[in-house]
Amino acid sequence: MKIESLDLSDEIKRFYENSGILELYPPQAKAVEKGLLEGKNLLAAIPTASGKTLLAELAMLKSVLAGGKALYIVPLRALASEKFRRFQEFSGLGIRVGISTGDYDKRDEGLGINDIIVATSEKTDSLLRNETAWMQEISVVVADEVHLIDSPDRGPTLEVTLAKLRRMNPSCQILALSATVGNADELAAWLDAELVLSEWRPTDLMEGVFYNGTFYCRDKEKPVEQPTKDEAINLVLDTIKEGGQSLVFESSRKNCMGFAKKAVSAVKKTLSKEDREALAGIADEILENSETDISSVLANCVRAGTAFHHAGLTTPLRELVEDGFRNGKIKLISSTPTLAAGLNLPARRVVIRSYRRYSSEMGMQPIPVLEYKQMAGRAGRPRLDPYGEAVLLAKSYEELVFLFEKYIEAGAEDIWSKLGTENALRTHVLSTISNGFARTKEELMDFLEATFFAFQYSNFGLSAVVDECLNFLRQEGMLEKDPDILVSTVLGKLVSRLYIDPLSAALIAKGLREAGTLTELTLLHLICSTPDMRLMYMRSQDYQEVNDYVMAHAGEFSRIPDPFNIAEYEWFLGEVKTSLLLMDWIHEKPENEICLKFGIGEGDIHSTADIAEWIMHVAAQLAGLLGLKGAKEATELEKRIRYGAAPELMDLLDIRSVGRVRARKLYEAGFKTTAELAAASPEQIAALVGPKIAERIFKQIGRKGTAPESTTTEPLEKGSPEGQRTISDF
Ligand SMILES: Nc1ncnc2c1ncn2[C@@H]1O[C@H](COP(=O)(O)OP(=O)(O)OP(=O)(O)O)[C@@H](O)[C@H]1O
C-alpha cells in the first residue's frame, strides 16, 4: 500500500516521501484497512521495529491537522524523550510537540498549546488528577508498550489512566501498541479496538541457540570460530567480522560491566585507525561528563570499542554510548534488559548471555517469553543488516532443547491486570473519587468495570478489595466518614493531587505527629520508609545486588538507631541504606565516594534523589495542611536533596549551571550570595568556574548596576556535572 494512496493530506504524504518512506509495511497496511485513518480504535500487536510508531504517527497527524490533539503515552521517561525528539521532526508541518514530565502536582496547562504531547503513564495520571484542562481536548491517545499493563508496578496506573481517558473522551481514538502477547484479542476487546496481529518484520530474525561452537537456527547449523575461551566474545568477534555490531544482555549490572571489560582485548584488535580516533573522542566526552570510577571504566571500554549500559549510568553517559553504537563505532554493548524496554537500538546480533533473572521470592528464574522476545527483537537494523540473529547460550544438549522449546518455538504469555490488590487499587480509588468519577460505591464499581482487571476477572473479588481501600481512606481522614457517599476530604484531594500512595501519606503524617525532635535523619528515614520509596528501591535494576550489598553491611546498618522507635516502622536495612545515601548526598560527599560506599552508579544517586525530593515535597505539603511540625524543615530538605548540598549554598544553587561543586567553590571563595556574585568582576568568577559559566551566571543575575537578561532557557551543558539531573524512569 503506497503512502500516496492514503487518505492523508498532501503535506503529510510529502513529509514521509521526503524521508524515503513510500510504501507501508504489511502490518501498517493492515491497520489502515482496519480503520486506522477513520478514527477507529486499534491494537497493533506486532514485533519490535515493524513500524508501530509510524502507524501511530499517521493517525495522530491526520487528527491534529484536522484540529485535534494527540497524547502519546509511554512507560519510561527515556522513551518519552526519544519519541519527543522524533515528533519534533513534524515542526515543518506546523505541528507543535510538547513533553510533560517532572513534578506530579503541576497542571502543565502551558503544554495545551501543543498539538502532540508526550508523557509517561504516571504523568498522564497526575495530569488527570490535577484536572488539566487540555486533557478534555484529546482526540487521539497512543498507548505505547501497552503490554506493560502486565507489570505489577506500572500496569495498574496505565490501565486506570486509559479507563479514565475513555470515560472523559468517549469519542477519542485509542491506538495501543504492543509487543506480541498471548491474549492480544482479549486486550483488543477490552479497548473496543480492531486487532492487527502480525509476525512480519522488515529484517528477517533468525532465532537460535549456540552450543558447543555451533549456532543452531531453524534447519541451519552455523559453526562459529572459537578464538577465545568465551563463547559470547567469539560470537561478538564473528559479528564484527561480518561487519555487524552486537548487543549482549546480562542479568545484572556487575555482569554486564564485567563482560564489556572482558571483551576489550579481543574487540580492540578489530578496530580501524578511524574507529580508534572516534572512540577516543567518545571516551573523552564520557570523562568530561563524569568523574566516577564507573565512568572511567566505561571510558576505557569505549576506547576499545566495547561499552556497558544500565540504569546506574547517568542519562548523558547512556546517550553517549547509544550514539556511539548507532554511528557504528562502538561494536558491542553489554546491557541489562533496560535497553530492551522500547529503546530503538538494534544490532546485527543479540546475545542473551543469561536468560535467568533474580526474584526475591524464588531466586534465579527463567525470564518470561515476552521479555526474551523484547530482547531478541532488537536483532537486525532495518535497511542496514541483511538479517538479525538472536542467540541464546546453552551449556548442554538438554539446555539447548529446553531453550528451543521454552523461547524459540513458544508464543508469548498472556498478560494479566495487576490492579486487583489493595496496594495497587488504593491510590486509584482515591483519585477516582477526588476527580469526581464516582460519588457512591456503585458509581465507583461502575467506573472500575472499565478496567482491564474487571474485563478479565469480571469484577470478581474487586468489591471486597475496594471496601478495604475505602475503609483505609476513611480511617486516615482522606474520605468523608459518611459510608453512603464518596467524597474526598481536603487531605484526600491533596494526596490525590500529589500523586502519592495514600499509605505513604498516612505513614508520613503519623511519623510527623509522633516522632520526637525532627533531625535530617528522622525526616529522611520518614520518606525512605514509605511504599513509594520502597517501590523505587525494589525497582532498582539489580535488586539482588542491592540486597546482597545491604546484607553484607547489615552490621553497620543495624547500628544506626531507629529514629522513630515506632512499632509500625520496621527499620528495614534497605531504608537505612537509602537514608544514609541521602545523608551523604545532602552533605556534599563527592558522587564517586557515594557510589563506592553504597555500591551504586551516579544514575542511582540522581534517581533516588528525584524520588526522595518528591516525597519530601509531599511531607512539607502534608505538614503544612495538617499543621504538623516539620513543614519548614522538609521544605529546606527538599531543596537540599534536589541539589545535594548544605543550606548555605541554596541561594547560589538557584542559578542555572551552578551545581553543588561550583556553588561550594564560589562560596569558599567568599561569594556567598547572588548579590555578592553580582558585585564581583567577571575575571574573579571566571577564575573559579571558567569564562563560559561565568558568562552564563552574569547573564542570569546581571552585574551590579545592570539588569539580568531574561532567564536563559538554554539547556544545561550536556552532562555537565553541575545541575545535570538524570531523570528517574517514570
Ligand atoms: N513503511 C515503512 N517504510 C520504511 N521505513 C519504515 C516504515 N515504517 C517505519 N519505518 C522505519 O523503521 C524504523 C522503525 O520504525 P518504528 O519506530 O515505527 O518501529 P517500532 O515498531 O515503533 O520500533 P520500536 O519497537 O523500536 O518502537 C524507523 O526508522 C522508521 O522510520
Side-chain angles (χ1 to χ4, degrees):
M1 187 183 281
K2 293 226 177 299
I3 292 273
E4 183 51 44
S5 68
L6 297 179
D7 177 17
L8 290 168
S9 68
D10 289 343
E11 53 186 339
I12 295 177
K13 292 176 185 175
R14 266 200 310 279
F15 171 82
Y16 284 102
E17 283 154 7
N18 293 343
S19 48
I21 295 177
L22 308 172
E23 186 96 25
L24 290 186
Y25 285 157
Q28 296 163 342
K30 261 194 206 169
V32 172
E33 286 157 9
K34 294 205 169 188
L36 174 76
L37 301 178
E38 290 133 45
K40 288 273 187 70
N41 288 356
L42 192 115
L43 166 65
I46 58 184
T48 298
S50 53
K52 288 193 289 289
T53 307
L54 188 133
L55 179 156
E57 290 172 9
L58 297 177
M60 292 196 296
L61 290 174
K62 176 161 189 176
S63 175
V64 157
L65 289 179
K69 195 182 285 292
L71 175 66
Y72 197 99
I73 303 173
V74 292
L76 299 172
R77 274 187 176 179
L79 214 46
S81 308
E82 184 188 281
K83 300 302 179 189
F84 175 63
R85 280 194 297 272
R86 159 62 189 166
F87 300 154
Q88 283 181 306
E89 292 172 31
F90 299 143
S91 55
L93 298 172
I95 286 177
R96 293 158 302 187
V97 185
I99 180 169
S100 180
T101 58
D103 298 344
Y104 290 131
D105 62 350
K106 298 288 177 293
R107 286 203 166 101
D108 283 355
E109 289 297 5
L111 278 168
I113 57 157
N114 291 298
D115 305 302
I116 297 176
I117 293 125
V118 183
T120 60
S121 36
E122 283 79 10
K123 183 62 186 176
T124 302
D125 186 17
S126 78
L127 291 170
L128 287 168
R129 291 169 181 229
N130 287 284
E131 292 161 358
T132 302
W134 53 260
M135 290 292 273
Q136 310 275 349
E137 302 156 26
I138 298 295
S139 54
V140 179
V141 171
V142 182
D144 201 352
E145 312 285 332
V146 76
H147 52 275
L148 290 176
I149 271 185
D150 189 69
S151 85
D153 57 18
R154 289 195 168 101
T157 296
L158 177 55
E159 73 174 274
V160 170
T161 300
L162 287 174
K164 284 180 183 173
L165 285 166
R166 296 181 68 196
R167 175 68 57 103
M168 222 166 61
N169 300 358
S171 61
C172 91
Q173 180 180 17
I174 304 281
L175 297 177
L177 310 178
S178 171
T180 37
V181 293
N183 53 339
D185 50 346
E186 189 177 33
L187 197 53
W190 169 56
L191 293 168
D192 298 320
E194 295 293 327
L195 174 60
V196 172
L197 261 183
S198 161
E199 288 299 325
W200 182 90
R201 283 170 38 101
T203 313
D204 187 23
L205 174 61
M206 325 266 278
E207 295 176 78
V209 182
F210 182 84
Y211 167 58
N212 210 12
T214 302
F215 177 53
Y216 296 89
C217 169
R218 295 179 192 157
D219 52 0
K220 289 202 194 80
E221 295 182 15
K222 187 177 171 185
V224 175
E225 275 177 46
Q226 301 292 302
T228 80
K229 291 196 180 66
D230 185 304
E231 295 170 336
I233 291 179
N234 297 334
L235 285 161
V236 168
L237 295 174
D238 181 55
T239 314
I240 293 172
K241 210 165 64 180
E242 291 180 2
Q245 297 160 285
S246 300
L247 283 179
V248 175
F249 285 107
E250 285 283 1
S251 63
S252 74
R253 293 184 191 179
K254 191 163 51 182
N255 294 350
C256 83
M257 281 174 63
F259 183 75
K261 281 163 43 181
K262 187 178 177 188
V264 158
S265 56
V267 172
K268 194 171 185 175
K269 292 176 196 145
T270 70
L271 299 177
S272 66
K273 184 169 174 299
E274 187 239 352
D275 278 349
R276 285 175 198 272
E277 283 162 9
L279 290 165
I282 299 170
D284 293 344
E285 268 198 86
I286 287 171
L287 295 176
E288 278 161 30
N289 263 298
S290 165
E291 294 143 17
T292 61
D293 293 14
I294 287 183
S295 47
S296 53
V297 169
L298 179 62
N300 292 337
C301 287
V302 165
R303 279 185 214 287
T306 79
F308 50 87
H309 187 288
H310 57 60
L313 296 178
T314 58
T315 302
L317 261 55
R318 286 192 264 181
E319 285 174 353
L320 282 168
V321 166
E322 290 155 18
D323 294 345
F325 192 79
R326 276 197 191 97
N327 67 30
K329 302 305 172 200
I330 293 176
K331 310 300 180 191
L332 152 70
I333 294 183
S334 173
S335 168
T336 55
T338 25
L339 200 66
L343 213 57
N344 198 355
L345 200 72
R348 169 81 60 88
R349 187 173 262 166
V350 165
V351 179
I352 291 121
R353 254 187 128 216
S354 163
Y355 61 89
R356 288 194 179 81
R357 197 76 65 246
Y358 177 79
S359 89
S360 46
E361 297 81 29
M362 295 146 45
M364 296 301 277
Q365 291 297 311
I367 57 174
V369 177
L370 184 58
E371 187 173 327
Y372 157 75
K373 293 285 183 195
Q374 286 272 70
M375 293 190 278
R378 293 288 153 216
R381 294 171 302 162
R383 297 193 292 270
L384 296 170
D385 289 326
Y387 56 85
E389 275 184 351
V391 185
L392 286 154
L393 300 184
K395 295 213 175 358
S396 68
Y397 181 73
E398 294 69 27
E399 192 172 31
L400 176 140
V401 172
F402 165 77
L403 290 173
F404 263 101
E405 288 171 357
K406 163 97 179 148
Y407 291 113
I408 295 166
E409 289 150 8
E413 300 87 352
D414 289 0
I415 60 169
W416 296 94
S417 165
K418 303 295 189 293
L419 184 65
T421 65
E422 188 181 347
N423 274 343
L425 207 48
R426 189 170 42 226
T427 184
H428 297 300
V429 165
L430 178 61
S431 71
T432 302
I433 296 166
S434 301
N435 288 125
F437 280 104
R439 286 176 302 279
T440 63
K441 170 80 181 294
E442 291 66 35
E443 286 181 4
L444 180 57
M445 294 313 293
D446 177 54
F447 169 73
L448 291 172
E449 271 295 327
T451 61
F452 190 47
F453 181 89
F455 190 85
Q456 286 191 304
Y457 300 92
S458 62
N459 249 1
F460 173 72
L462 207 51
S463 181
V465 181
V466 166
D467 286 338
E468 283 167 31
C469 295
L470 294 174
N471 294 339
F472 171 81
L473 293 169
R474 284 196 185 97
Q475 89 189 25
E476 292 302 331
M478 296 177 196
L479 289 184
E480 297 299 350
K481 295 292 182 206
D482 180 342
D484 298 330
I485 57 158
L486 298 181
V487 177
S488 298
T489 60
V490 172
L491 172 62
K493 279 190 171 44
L494 176 67
V495 171
S496 174
R497 261 188 348 92
L498 287 171
Y499 201 73
I500 189 165
D501 182 332
L503 178 58
S504 294
L507 285 171
I508 290 172
K510 185 176 178 58
L512 291 175
R513 212 173 277 123
E514 299 178 7
T517 46
L518 285 179
T519 64
E520 290 169 350
L521 184 61
T522 312
L523 278 168
L524 289 175
H525 166 68
L526 184 59
I527 62 166
C528 289
S529 60
T530 59
D532 288 87
M533 201 70 202
R534 276 191 208 164
L535 179 65
M536 195 285 301
Y537 166 74
M538 304 287 278
R539 184 185 274 164
S540 65
Q541 202 25 254
D542 293 298
Y543 179 67
Q544 176 190 0
E545 281 185 17
V546 172
N547 223 28
D548 293 349
Y549 176 89
V550 166
M551 296 327 288
H553 293 75
E556 168 201 342
F557 288 163
S558 52
R559 278 198 299 281
I560 306 288
D562 176 348
F564 268 93
N565 297 320
I566 296 178
E568 288 84 338
Y569 287 99
E570 285 176 79
W571 191 215
F572 287 120
L573 293 178
E575 295 159 19
V576 176
K577 173 181 179 246
T578 312
S579 307
L580 296 179
L581 185 168
L582 288 166
M583 281 290 277
D584 282 1
W585 170 245
I586 65 173
H587 286 279
E588 298 177 48
K589 289 284 181 359
E591 296 197 19
N592 191 40
E593 186 183 313
I594 296 175
C595 290
L596 296 173
K597 177 176 173 183
F598 294 98
I600 56 174
E602 270 176 294
D604 300 308
I605 299 176
H606 298 167
S607 54
T608 302
D610 254 1
I611 301 279
E613 176 189 355
W614 182 252
I615 302 176
M616 192 60 80
H617 171 75
V618 171
Q621 298 279 310
L622 290 175
L625 177 75
L626 300 172
L628 300 170
K629 61 180 181 295
K632 180 173 152 302
E633 295 83 347
T635 303
E636 181 186 282
L637 262 185
E638 173 192 344
K639 203 167 171 187
R640 292 185 61 191
I641 294 171
R642 180 180 314 139
Y643 294 112
E648 64 265 24
L649 299 186
M650 289 303 120
D651 185 21
L652 295 176
L653 285 162
D654 277 338
I655 304 169
R656 285 175 63 81
S657 304
V658 174
R660 61 203 295 249
V661 173
R662 284 194 188 115
R664 178 53 65 189
K665 200 182 275 186
L666 291 166
Y667 189 89
E668 295 309 324
F671 305 102
K672 296 182 171 18
T673 65
T674 42
E676 289 170 359
L677 266 184
S681 72
E683 295 68 31
Q684 281 177 300
I685 304 307
L688 290 164
V689 296
K692 208 162 59 170
I693 298 298
E695 189 193 338
R696 280 195 195 157
I697 290 174
F698 285 119
K699 258 192 198 168
Q700 290 176 64
I701 64 171
R703 294 200 46 233
K704 201 165 186 174
T706 61
E709 287 189 17
S710 62
T711 28
T712 47
T713 51
E714 68 192 42
L716 288 177
E717 196 169 304
K718 181 171 178 161
S720 68
E722 305 306 335
Q724 171 58 42
R725 298 300 309 278
T726 52
I727 46 181
S728 49
D729 260 344
F730 72 96

